[in-house]
Amino acid sequence: MSIYDFNVNTLHGQEVSLQKYEDNVLLIVNTASKCGLTPQYKGLQELYDKFHDKQFEVLGFPSNQFAHQEPGSNEDIAEFCQLNYGVSFPMFEKVNVNGNEAHPLFKYLTEEAPGLMGSKAIKWNFTKFLVDKQGRIIKRYAPQTTPDKIEEDIKNLLNSQ
């Protein structure tokens, strides 16, 4: 099994195979619009702008599982991200990231890159997973880890492959 075996739906309901992103470094993030960490959208967009032309993608997955901080529809989410943060990186339909109803992608991510003390659960919004060009999950970052703190790891992956 690989990251490229999963299909996801865009905010506009179009099914996309993650195979589309093969040969790219990926940063997969569960997001929310009404969270204290929501300003990280700005840093995620800055990373995307800086490295997108070097085969880097940010993939955003809204989730309402943490204190109901993503209550809007897919259309609301798209509008919020564009108007407030100029988000142009791919955003996908709202998903569950924990529990029996978790999207299979997030079940895979948490199995491959457990959190602190081996925990498989995602603790909060803006947990991030860095994936190399071969689809291997390289690192999991805590929600409080800001995008600028991940930049060096992204550069290293882009330059080493």
Side-chain angles (χ1 to χ4, degrees):
M1 176 153 272
S2 137
I3 195 104
Y4 304 125
D5 294 328
F6 295 97
N7 292 334
V8 293
N9 292 329
T10 68
L11 281 178
H12 305 293
Q14 298 154 322
E15 187 175 26
V16 173
S17 168
L18 289 184
Q19 195 159 26
K20 170 183 180 177
Y21 301 107
E22 199 167 3
D23 298 324
N24 285 273
V25 171
L26 306 176
L27 187 64
I28 300 174
V29 187
N30 68 300
T31 63
S33 299
K34 300 194 180 306
C35 174
L37 301 174
T38 299
Q40 285 191 27
Y41 270 125
K42 180 179 187 289
L44 293 169
Q45 183 62 43
E46 287 170 356
L47 287 176
Y48 182 76
D49 290 343
K50 190 170 198 173
F51 298 115
H52 179 66
D53 64 347
K54 296 175 176 74
Q55 295 184 289
F56 171 73
E57 295 282 349
V58 175
L59 307 181
F61 289 86
S63 181
N64 197 36
Q65 283 194 291
F66 305 102
H68 306 290
Q69 294 182 340
E70 189 59 273
S73 68
N74 289 327
E75 293 78 23
D76 294 337
I77 294 165
E79 185 176 335
F80 173 86
C81 290
Q82 177 56 47
L83 288 176
N84 292 287
Y85 296 99
V87 167
S88 62
F89 57 80
M91 291 287 295
F92 298 91
E93 280 184 344
K94 195 171 2 178
V95 296
N96 285 336
V97 297
N98 286 327
N100 292 336
E101 301 297 315
H103 190 284
L105 171 63
F106 280 87
K107 287 182 180 179
Y108 177 76
L109 289 169
T110 56
E111 279 290 320
E112 294 294 311
L116 283 176
M117 300 191 313
S119 169
K120 302 242 186 317
I122 290 180
K123 300 287 188 226
W124 202 251
N125 304 307
F126 292 90
T127 297
K128 302 158 200 75
F129 296 88
L130 187 61
V131 180
D132 72 10
K133 290 182 181 182
Q134 287 74 44
R136 296 179 297 237
I137 293 93
I138 299 300
K139 193 166 182 181
R140 175 178 177 160
Y141 300 92
Q144 300 81 3
T145 303
T146 55
D148 62 306
K149 302 286 190 245
I150 301 171
E151 184 172 337
E152 202 58 39
D153 291 345
I154 293 167
K155 274 195 236 178
N156 289 339
L157 277 181
L158 289 170
N159 292 331
S160 70
Q161 300 178 356

